[in-house]
């Protein structure tokens, strides 16, 4: 009976030791799984941060491109306006004063004949 009790206690100790070993192994497995999950979450957050930074950089580049285009457009418009003004100034200096205002009546056709001394009907059809 004593030997049986000793064997039973020995088996119980071995069973307890195996149970503790399995429990420790499970705890180590859970710890590794938590660490892997934490690392994965950190990688996800880092990737999301990189995507946000890239998107911000793209948006900033787009804003700068738009601003440059607008500035170039304004510069072209200003250059065009200045060219028109210069041409108008040049014309106003080079040309005689404008003719007197039209009296509002009569033949609207250009009367070249009366200017150069020719047949009015023949020359005036422009």
């Amino acid at each position: 009976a004593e030997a049986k009790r000793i064997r039973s206690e020995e088996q119980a100790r071995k069973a307890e030791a195996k149970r503790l070993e399995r429990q420790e192994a499970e705890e180590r497995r859970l710890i590794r799984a938590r660490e892997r999950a934490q690392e994965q979450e950190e990688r996800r957050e880092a990737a999301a941060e990189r995507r946000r930074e890239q998107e911000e950089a793209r948006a900033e580049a787009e804003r700068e491109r738009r601003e440059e285009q607008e500035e170039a457009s304004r510069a072209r418009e200003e250059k065009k306006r200045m060219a028109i003004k210069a041409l108008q100034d040049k014309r106003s200096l080079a040309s005689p004063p404008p003719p007197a205002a039209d009296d509002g009546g009569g033949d609207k056709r250009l009367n070249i004949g009366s200017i150069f001394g020719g047949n009015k009907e023949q020359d005036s059809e422009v």
Side-chain angles (χ1 to χ4, degrees), residues 16-29:
E16 180 65 15
K18 281 187 177 183
R19 187 188 67 76
L20 287 173
E21 193 177 307
R22 282 194 302 269
Q23 185 179 352
E24 289 172 357
E26 180 65 15
E27 287 172 358
R28 286 192 303 270
R29 187 188 67 75

Side-chain angles (χ1 to χ4, degrees), residues 17-105:
K18 281 187 177 183
R19 187 188 67 76
L20 287 173
E21 193 177 307
R22 282 194 302 269
Q23 185 179 352
E24 289 172 357
E26 180 65 15
E27 287 172 358
R28 286 192 303 270
R29 187 188 67 75
L30 289 173
I31 289 169
R32 283 194 308 272
R34 278 194 297 269
E35 289 171 349
R36 282 193 305 271
Q38 179 66 30
E39 290 169 358
Q40 190 175 21
E41 181 61 25
E42 289 170 359
R43 284 193 301 271
R44 261 196 305 269
E45 288 174 0
E49 180 63 23
R50 282 192 303 276
R51 281 192 301 274
R52 278 191 296 276
E53 289 171 356
Q54 288 172 344
E55 183 54 37
E56 287 172 6
R58 273 194 295 273
E60 179 64 24
E62 179 63 22
R63 273 193 299 278
E64 289 175 3
R65 185 188 65 76
R66 247 192 329 271
E67 288 172 2
E68 289 171 1
Q69 284 181 337
E70 290 169 1
E71 181 62 30
S73 177
R74 281 192 294 272
R76 284 191 302 273
E77 288 300 317
E78 180 65 14
K79 186 176 178 182
K80 211 183 295 182
R81 192 182 64 73
M82 294 299 284
I84 290 170
K85 182 166 178 12
L87 189 59
Q88 288 172 340
D89 290 348
K90 186 176 176 183
R91 283 183 182 163
S92 68
L93 292 175
S95 65
D102 188 14
D103 63 354

